[in-house]
Structure formats: structure tokens, C-alpha cells
């Protein structure tokens, strides 16, 4: 970016940008019942809202990408709606854009369109849904997904399973049969590559360095550290450890950002193209 270029021009050492995206991934019913998981969800969001209101260093949180999680919580805590709306409206909490995260190959095409339509509509009630085609845990992706996303005005998709070995960089252009294209961000280790965020700056830097080295030929742009996984609670030491990690070394510039902010900084030039489904 221009700011990074000016830093280098001023004689400073360029540090590798690392974007930390705190999040959780919420299976509404899996190895426990829906209501059991909802009790855990209520605990998570009670903690998250209070933490974000009291700790500006806990700057961002991605609430999985499905609005059903918000409605499940507010059915139990309706009085929290305005607090959540303020955090979403200010950009600190990201919600949606889907109503639920579907298995794309097991539902009809119209279902996918209506799912996204409903998610955006519900998201508008609570400060606005994230304008990113977040597809973290699907078992592959239909060929028409770029067309669906582009039809709603989205420019980005984020995917994990199904990306072929022929795609050699973490960013690529994904084209639907009708020619619609979105920029896709590939998560090589899934949405939980940064789930383990040690309460120790040195250990945190070592983990980031190991990931960056392992995937150095694939990563295009800033390193994306997805700090979350299935049913993960917010880690209260996040802001402090990120600040300490920046202070103890000169190799990485670590920042807590939203997924949309990461994608805004992602490169678009010289990327490969993939057409059709990601099976």
C-alpha cells in the first residue's frame, strides 16, 4: 500500500502484514442438541458484548456469517438487541450475510438465493450484514456461486474446501458459467488456522511465523490469521497479546481487523482464474 511504501522510503524496515480476524463458527446442532448449543451461544455473546464494550483493543469479531445465530441469541436475550446493533453498526461485529450456512450441493439453487436474500434482510435490522460471500465450512461450492454473489453486489468470496491444487495462490478470480466473477480468498488450513492464540507474545509470533513459512508460496498479500473455530469463545487476551507481539519483534505488523478489511487490502493483480464448481 502507499503507506507501506512511504515507510520503506523513510528508511524503515518493511514488516510483513498479519491480519488477525477474531471469530467463532457455530454449528447450531451437531454432537449436542440445538438447545444445548444455544445455552453456550448465550454465554458466548453475553461475554462478547460486555468485552467489546469494555475493551477497545478487542476491536473486531466475526459472528460466523449466518444471521440465524443472532436470532437464536436474541430469542433468549431480546434486551441485548440495541447493544448488538451498535456494535454491528460501528463495524466492530460482523454478521451475515447468510441466514444459515448451507451445504450448496444438497439444496436447490433458489434456496441459495433466498437464503442470502433473507440473511441480508434480517441483517438490516441489526446494523447491516457483511458484504462478503463467506463460505467457510461448505463441502465444496456450486459453479453458480460467483453469479449469486455478484447478483447481490458482492465482490469477494472466502472459501476452504474444494479449491484445486491448480490454484497456486490464496487469491484467485472465480468465474461462474454466465461469466460473473468474484475475487476468492482461499483458506489453506480452513477457518481455524489461528484458533490457538497463546497468552504469550513470543509463542504467538512463533505460531504466525510457522504458518507464514509453511504457506509462503501460496499466500498472496497479508497473512490471514483466523482466530476462531467451532464454538470458540472470545479469547480475552487478544488485544494485549497482539500489542505485545508488535513490540517484541520487527518482522510482522499484526493488526486486529474485520474480514472485509482484510479483503480490501488483498491484491487483485496477476491472479489466476478458476471457472466452475469447487468440488
Amino acid at each position: 500500500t502507499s503507506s507501506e511504501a512511504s515507510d520503506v522510503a523513510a528508511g524503515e524496515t518493511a514488516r510483513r502484514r498479519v491480519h488477525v480476524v477474531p471469530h467463532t463458527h457455530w454449528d447450531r446442532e451437531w454432537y449436542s442438541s440445538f438447545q444445548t448449543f444455544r445455552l453456550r451461544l448465550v454465554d458466548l455473546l453475553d461475554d462478547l458484548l460486555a468485552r467489546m464494550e469494555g475493551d477497545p483493543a478487542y476491536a473486531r469479531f466475526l459472528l460466523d456469517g449466518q444471521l440465524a445465530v443472532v436470532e437464536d441469541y436474541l430469542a433468549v436475550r431480546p434486551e441485548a438487541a440495541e447493544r448488538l446493533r451498535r456494535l454491528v453498526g460501528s463495524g466492530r461485529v460482523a454478521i451475515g450475510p447468510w441466514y444459515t450456512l448451507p451445504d450448496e450441493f444438497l439444496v436447490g439453487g433458489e434456496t441459495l438465493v433466498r437464503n442470502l436474500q433473507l440473511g441480508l434482510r434480517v441483517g438490516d435490522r441489526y446494523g447491516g450484514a457483511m458484504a462478503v460471500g463467506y463460505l467457510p465450512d461448505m463441502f465444496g461450492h456450486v459453479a453458480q456461486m460467483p453469479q449469486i454473489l455478484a447478483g447481490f453486489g458482492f465482490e469477494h468470496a472466502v472459501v476452504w474446501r474444494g479449491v484445486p491444487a491448480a490454484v497456486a495462490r490464496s487469491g484467485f478470480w472465480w468465474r461462474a458459467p454466465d461469466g460473473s466473477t468474484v475475487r476468492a480468498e482461499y483458506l489453506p488450513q480452513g477457518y481455524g488456522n489461528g484458533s490457538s492464540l497463546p497468552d504469550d507474545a513470543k509463542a504467538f509470533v512463533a505460531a504466525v511465523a510457522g504458518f507464514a513459512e509453511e504457506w509462503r508460496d501460496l499466500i498472496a498479500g497479508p497473512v490471514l490469521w483466523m482466530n476462531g473455530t467451532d464454538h470458540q469463545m472470545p479469547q480475552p487476551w487478544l488485544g494485549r497479546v497482539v500489542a505485545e507481539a508488535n513490540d517484541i519483534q520487527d518482522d510482522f505488523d499484526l493488526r486486529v481487523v474485520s474480514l472485509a478489511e482484510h479483503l480490501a487490502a488483498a491484491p487483485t493483480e496477476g491472479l489466476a482464474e478458476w471457472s466452475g464448481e469447487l468440488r
Side-chain angles (χ1 to χ4, degrees):
T1 66
S2 58
S3 62
E4 290 172 330
S6 62
D7 289 345
V8 175
E12 299 183 15
T13 302
R15 297 197 293 171
R16 182 88 181 268
R17 183 77 61 84
V18 177
H19 287 160
V20 180
V21 177
H23 76 101
T24 196
H25 176 64
W26 208 262
D27 296 281
R28 298 174 77 209
E29 183 173 18
W30 181 18
Y31 52 82
S32 295
S33 69
F34 165 67
Q35 295 296 3
T36 298
F37 275 130
R38 174 144 69 175
L39 290 173
R40 293 176 59 184
L41 175 66
V42 170
D43 288 342
L44 183 150
L45 276 162
D46 283 351
D47 175 81
L48 178 69
L49 296 184
R51 186 170 307 285
M52 297 193 80
E53 290 167 343
D55 181 8
Y58 209 105
R60 301 285 187 268
F61 197 84
L62 170 58
L63 197 53
D64 195 27
Q66 52 181 334
L67 264 298
V69 175
V70 173
E71 292 202 326
D72 290 344
Y73 173 67
L74 293 179
V76 178
R77 293 277 194 266
E79 69 278 6
E82 186 53 40
R83 297 171 65 200
L84 181 61
R85 189 177 292 113
R86 283 197 299 269
L87 289 167
V88 173
S90 67
R92 294 186 64 195
V93 172
I95 58 175
W98 300 93
Y99 187 73
T100 64
L101 293 173
D103 190 315
E104 299 167 36
F105 288 107
L106 296 185
V107 299
E110 184 176 347
T111 299
L112 294 173
V113 174
R114 290 183 179 272
N115 187 328
L116 188 50
Q117 187 178 47
L118 178 59
L120 293 171
R121 186 183 304 136
V122 174
D124 284 344
R125 301 177 198 161
Y126 303 110
M130 175 175 66
V132 174
Y134 187 47
L135 306 162
D137 198 26
M138 285 68 165
F139 290 83
H141 306 280
V142 295
Q144 292 81 9
M145 185 54 69
Q147 179 181 353
I148 294 171
L149 296 176
F152 281 90
F154 288 13
E155 298 178 350
H156 296 275
V158 177
V159 296
W160 171 25
R161 299 188 184 96
V163 176
V167 175
R169 304 300 303 279
S170 59
F172 64 98
W173 295 110
W174 184 15
R175 183 177 298 276
D178 78 327
S180 301
T181 304
V182 294
R183 186 196 183 278
E185 179 85 358
Y186 170 43
L187 306 174
Q189 286 186 355
Y191 52 84
N193 70 305
S195 60
S196 177
L197 197 156
D199 186 8
D200 176 82
K202 290 183 179 179
F204 176 36
V205 171
V208 171
F211 176 79
E213 174 62 22
E214 179 178 359
W215 298 100
R216 66 182 185 279
D217 294 331
L218 183 134
I219 296 172
V223 175
L224 178 56
W225 191 256
M226 295 292 289
N227 173 224
T229 190
D230 300 349
H231 312 111
Q232 181 160 304
M233 301 290 285
Q235 295 174 304
W237 53 86
L238 170 72
R240 172 181 58 80
V241 170
V242 168
E244 291 175 356
N246 280 322
D247 288 340
I248 66 171
Q249 50 77 46
D250 297 317
D251 295 326
F252 299 108
D253 174 13
L254 300 114
R255 305 183 185 191
V256 178
V257 303
S258 68
L259 190 57
E261 288 169 330
H262 167 76
L263 294 170
T268 57
E269 299 295 326
L271 301 180
E273 181 178 297
W274 181 263
S275 296
E277 66 184 23
L278 299 171
R279 175 64 77 164

PDB file of all heavy atoms in Angstrom, residues 67-68 70-71 95 99 117-129:
ATOM      1  N   LEU A  67     -27.061 -15.287  10.022  1.00  0.00           N
ATOM      2  CA  LEU A  67     -27.925 -14.494  10.889  1.00  0.00           C
ATOM      3  C   LEU A  67     -28.756 -15.329  11.845  1.00  0.00           C
ATOM      4  O   LEU A  67     -29.250 -14.826  12.854  1.00  0.00           O
ATOM      5  CB  LEU A  67     -28.846 -13.618  10.036  1.00  0.00           C
ATOM      6  CG  LEU A  67     -28.381 -12.182   9.787  1.00  0.00           C
ATOM      7  CD1 LEU A  67     -28.271 -11.396  11.089  1.00  0.00           C
ATOM      8  CD2 LEU A  67     -27.076 -12.120   9.039  1.00  0.00           C
ATOM      9  N   ALA A  68     -28.941 -16.612  11.562  1.00  0.00           N
ATOM     10  CA  ALA A  68     -29.691 -17.461  12.479  1.00  0.00           C
ATOM     11  C   ALA A  68     -29.078 -17.455  13.869  1.00  0.00           C
ATOM     12  O   ALA A  68     -29.787 -17.556  14.888  1.00  0.00           O
ATOM     13  CB  ALA A  68     -29.753 -18.892  11.942  1.00  0.00           C
ATOM     14  N   VAL A  70     -27.683 -14.922  15.351  1.00  0.00           N
ATOM     15  CA  VAL A  70     -28.153 -13.705  16.014  1.00  0.00           C
ATOM     16  C   VAL A  70     -29.575 -13.896  16.529  1.00  0.00           C
ATOM     17  O   VAL A  70     -29.895 -13.545  17.683  1.00  0.00           O
ATOM     18  CB  VAL A  70     -28.073 -12.509  15.053  1.00  0.00           C
ATOM     19  CG1 VAL A  70     -28.710 -11.268  15.672  1.00  0.00           C
ATOM     20  CG2 VAL A  70     -26.624 -12.241  14.670  1.00  0.00           C
ATOM     21  N   GLU A  71     -30.434 -14.457  15.704  1.00  0.00           N
ATOM     22  CA  GLU A  71     -31.824 -14.642  16.130  1.00  0.00           C
ATOM     23  C   GLU A  71     -31.933 -15.671  17.254  1.00  0.00           C
ATOM     24  O   GLU A  71     -32.761 -15.524  18.159  1.00  0.00           O
ATOM     25  CB  GLU A  71     -32.683 -15.040  14.932  1.00  0.00           C
ATOM     26  CG  GLU A  71     -32.833 -13.911  13.921  1.00  0.00           C
ATOM     27  CD  GLU A  71     -34.054 -14.068  13.032  1.00  0.00           C
ATOM     28  OE1 GLU A  71     -34.416 -15.214  12.716  1.00  0.00           O
ATOM     29  OE2 GLU A  71     -34.639 -13.029  12.659  1.00  0.00           O
ATOM     30  N   ILE A  95     -21.834  -9.564  10.976  1.00  0.00           N
ATOM     31  CA  ILE A  95     -22.884 -10.578  10.953  1.00  0.00           C
ATOM     32  C   ILE A  95     -23.250 -10.893   9.512  1.00  0.00           C
ATOM     33  O   ILE A  95     -23.077 -10.072   8.612  1.00  0.00           O
ATOM     34  CB  ILE A  95     -24.139 -10.130  11.739  1.00  0.00           C
ATOM     35  CG1 ILE A  95     -24.681  -8.811  11.170  1.00  0.00           C
ATOM     36  CG2 ILE A  95     -23.831  -9.992  13.220  1.00  0.00           C
ATOM     37  CD1 ILE A  95     -25.990  -8.354  11.808  1.00  0.00           C
ATOM     38  N   TYR A  99     -28.430 -16.425   5.953  1.00  0.00           N
ATOM     39  CA  TYR A  99     -29.306 -16.720   7.091  1.00  0.00           C
ATOM     40  C   TYR A  99     -28.812 -17.981   7.793  1.00  0.00           C
ATOM     41  O   TYR A  99     -28.694 -18.026   9.014  1.00  0.00           O
ATOM     42  CB  TYR A  99     -30.766 -16.874   6.652  1.00  0.00           C
ATOM     43  CG  TYR A  99     -31.665 -16.996   7.867  1.00  0.00           C
ATOM     44  CD1 TYR A  99     -31.921 -15.879   8.667  1.00  0.00           C
ATOM     45  CD2 TYR A  99     -32.213 -18.220   8.237  1.00  0.00           C
ATOM     46  CE1 TYR A  99     -32.705 -15.982   9.806  1.00  0.00           C
ATOM     47  CE2 TYR A  99     -32.994 -18.329   9.367  1.00  0.00           C
ATOM     48  CZ  TYR A  99     -33.239 -17.216  10.153  1.00  0.00           C
ATOM     49  OH  TYR A  99     -33.992 -17.324  11.281  1.00  0.00           O
ATOM     50  N   GLN A 117     -30.839 -13.743   0.436  1.00  0.00           N
ATOM     51  CA  GLN A 117     -31.805 -12.654   0.469  1.00  0.00           C
ATOM     52  C   GLN A 117     -32.348 -12.450   1.888  1.00  0.00           C
ATOM     53  O   GLN A 117     -32.425 -11.322   2.393  1.00  0.00           O
ATOM     54  CB  GLN A 117     -32.942 -12.968  -0.506  1.00  0.00           C
ATOM     55  CG  GLN A 117     -33.948 -11.857  -0.721  1.00  0.00           C
ATOM     56  CD  GLN A 117     -34.998 -12.277  -1.743  1.00  0.00           C
ATOM     57  OE1 GLN A 117     -35.544 -13.378  -1.681  1.00  0.00           O
ATOM     58  NE2 GLN A 117     -35.265 -11.410  -2.701  1.00  0.00           N
ATOM     59  N   LEU A 118     -32.699 -13.547   2.547  1.00  0.00           N
ATOM     60  CA  LEU A 118     -33.228 -13.469   3.903  1.00  0.00           C
ATOM     61  C   LEU A 118     -32.164 -12.992   4.881  1.00  0.00           C
ATOM     62  O   LEU A 118     -32.430 -12.173   5.769  1.00  0.00           O
ATOM     63  CB  LEU A 118     -33.768 -14.838   4.330  1.00  0.00           C
ATOM     64  CG  LEU A 118     -34.327 -14.942   5.762  1.00  0.00           C
ATOM     65  CD1 LEU A 118     -35.474 -13.962   5.972  1.00  0.00           C
ATOM     66  CD2 LEU A 118     -34.781 -16.372   6.054  1.00  0.00           C
ATOM     67  N   GLY A 119     -30.928 -13.498   4.721  1.00  0.00           N
ATOM     68  CA  GLY A 119     -29.860 -13.063   5.601  1.00  0.00           C
ATOM     69  C   GLY A 119     -29.624 -11.561   5.523  1.00  0.00           C
ATOM     70  O   GLY A 119     -29.454 -10.890   6.552  1.00  0.00           O
ATOM     71  N   LEU A 120     -29.609 -11.024   4.327  1.00  0.00           N
ATOM     72  CA  LEU A 120     -29.408  -9.589   4.167  1.00  0.00           C
ATOM     73  C   LEU A 120     -30.571  -8.798   4.763  1.00  0.00           C
ATOM     74  O   LEU A 120     -30.369  -7.735   5.377  1.00  0.00           O
ATOM     75  CB  LEU A 120     -29.241  -9.253   2.686  1.00  0.00           C
ATOM     76  CG  LEU A 120     -27.962  -9.798   2.034  1.00  0.00           C
ATOM     77  CD1 LEU A 120     -28.007  -9.587   0.526  1.00  0.00           C
ATOM     78  CD2 LEU A 120     -26.726  -9.141   2.628  1.00  0.00           C
ATOM     79  N   ARG A 121     -31.785  -9.312   4.592  1.00  0.00           N
ATOM     80  CA  ARG A 121     -32.957  -8.618   5.133  1.00  0.00           C
ATOM     81  C   ARG A 121     -32.919  -8.592   6.661  1.00  0.00           C
ATOM     82  O   ARG A 121     -33.156  -7.556   7.287  1.00  0.00           O
ATOM     83  CB  ARG A 121     -34.231  -9.305   4.643  1.00  0.00           C
ATOM     84  CG  ARG A 121     -35.514  -8.571   5.045  1.00  0.00           C
ATOM     85  CD  ARG A 121     -36.734  -9.349   4.600  1.00  0.00           C
ATOM     86  NE  ARG A 121     -36.698  -9.608   3.170  1.00  0.00           N
ATOM     87  CZ  ARG A 121     -37.007 -10.779   2.600  1.00  0.00           C
ATOM     88  NH1 ARG A 121     -37.356 -11.806   3.357  1.00  0.00           N
ATOM     89  NH2 ARG A 121     -36.955 -10.918   1.291  1.00  0.00           N
ATOM     90  N   VAL A 122     -32.599  -9.732   7.265  1.00  0.00           N
ATOM     91  CA  VAL A 122     -32.519  -9.782   8.728  1.00  0.00           C
ATOM     92  C   VAL A 122     -31.334  -8.950   9.213  1.00  0.00           C
ATOM     93  O   VAL A 122     -31.415  -8.246  10.228  1.00  0.00           O
ATOM     94  CB  VAL A 122     -32.400 -11.246   9.210  1.00  0.00           C
ATOM     95  CG1 VAL A 122     -32.171 -11.301  10.716  1.00  0.00           C
ATOM     96  CG2 VAL A 122     -33.659 -12.031   8.843  1.00  0.00           C
ATOM     97  N   GLY A 123     -30.219  -9.007   8.475  1.00  0.00           N
ATOM     98  CA  GLY A 123     -29.060  -8.221   8.855  1.00  0.00           C
ATOM     99  C   GLY A 123     -29.346  -6.735   8.916  1.00  0.00           C
ATOM    100  O   GLY A 123     -28.794  -6.016   9.758  1.00  0.00           O
ATOM    101  N   ASP A 124     -30.211  -6.243   8.039  1.00  0.00           N
ATOM    102  CA  ASP A 124     -30.561  -4.823   8.029  1.00  0.00           C
ATOM    103  C   ASP A 124     -31.203  -4.392   9.343  1.00  0.00           C
ATOM    104  O   ASP A 124     -31.127  -3.222   9.721  1.00  0.00           O
ATOM    105  CB  ASP A 124     -31.511  -4.514   6.870  1.00  0.00           C
ATOM    106  CG  ASP A 124     -30.801  -4.463   5.528  1.00  0.00           C
ATOM    107  OD1 ASP A 124     -29.561  -4.357   5.518  1.00  0.00           O
ATOM    108  OD2 ASP A 124     -31.493  -4.541   4.485  1.00  0.00           O
ATOM    109  N   ARG A 125     -31.822  -5.319  10.059  1.00  0.00           N
ATOM    110  CA  ARG A 125     -32.455  -4.976  11.347  1.00  0.00           C
ATOM    111  C   ARG A 125     -31.422  -4.721  12.438  1.00  0.00           C
ATOM    112  O   ARG A 125     -31.719  -4.086  13.446  1.00  0.00           O
ATOM    113  CB  ARG A 125     -33.368  -6.109  11.810  1.00  0.00           C
ATOM    114  CG  ARG A 125     -34.499  -6.484  10.864  1.00  0.00           C
ATOM    115  CD  ARG A 125     -35.249  -7.667  11.433  1.00  0.00           C
ATOM    116  NE  ARG A 125     -36.056  -8.339  10.434  1.00  0.00           N
ATOM    117  CZ  ARG A 125     -36.521  -9.578  10.554  1.00  0.00           C
ATOM    118  NH1 ARG A 125     -36.249 -10.279  11.658  1.00  0.00           N
ATOM    119  NH2 ARG A 125     -37.234 -10.126   9.590  1.00  0.00           N
ATOM    120  N   TYR A 126     -30.220  -5.227  12.218  1.00  0.00           N
ATOM    121  CA  TYR A 126     -29.226  -5.193  13.296  1.00  0.00           C
ATOM    122  C   TYR A 126     -27.933  -4.516  12.859  1.00  0.00           C
ATOM    123  O   TYR A 126     -26.856  -4.875  13.300  1.00  0.00           O
ATOM    124  CB  TYR A 126     -28.941  -6.619  13.770  1.00  0.00           C
ATOM    125  CG  TYR A 126     -30.179  -7.345  14.232  1.00  0.00           C
ATOM    126  CD1 TYR A 126     -30.696  -8.404  13.493  1.00  0.00           C
ATOM    127  CD2 TYR A 126     -30.858  -6.937  15.377  1.00  0.00           C
ATOM    128  CE1 TYR A 126     -31.846  -9.055  13.901  1.00  0.00           C
ATOM    129  CE2 TYR A 126     -32.015  -7.575  15.784  1.00  0.00           C
ATOM    130  CZ  TYR A 126     -32.510  -8.632  15.043  1.00  0.00           C
ATOM    131  OH  TYR A 126     -33.657  -9.265  15.440  1.00  0.00           O
ATOM    132  N   GLY A 127     -28.020  -3.525  11.995  1.00  0.00           N
ATOM    133  CA  GLY A 127     -26.852  -2.742  11.649  1.00  0.00           C
ATOM    134  C   GLY A 127     -26.223  -3.057  10.315  1.00  0.00           C
ATOM    135  O   GLY A 127     -25.282  -2.386   9.890  1.00  0.00           O
ATOM    136  N   GLY A 128     -26.722  -4.097   9.610  1.00  0.00           N
ATOM    137  CA  GLY A 128     -26.230  -4.401   8.271  1.00  0.00           C
ATOM    138  C   GLY A 128     -25.337  -5.614   8.210  1.00  0.00           C
ATOM    139  O   GLY A 128     -24.434  -5.788   9.036  1.00  0.00           O
ATOM    140  N   ALA A 129     -25.604  -6.500   7.244  1.00  0.00           N
ATOM    141  CA  ALA A 129     -24.832  -7.732   7.084  1.00  0.00           C
ATOM    142  C   ALA A 129     -23.514  -7.457   6.374  1.00  0.00           C
ATOM    143  O   ALA A 129     -23.381  -6.509   5.601  1.00  0.00           O
ATOM    144  CB  ALA A 129     -25.647  -8.762   6.297  1.00  0.00           C
TER     145      ALA A 129
END
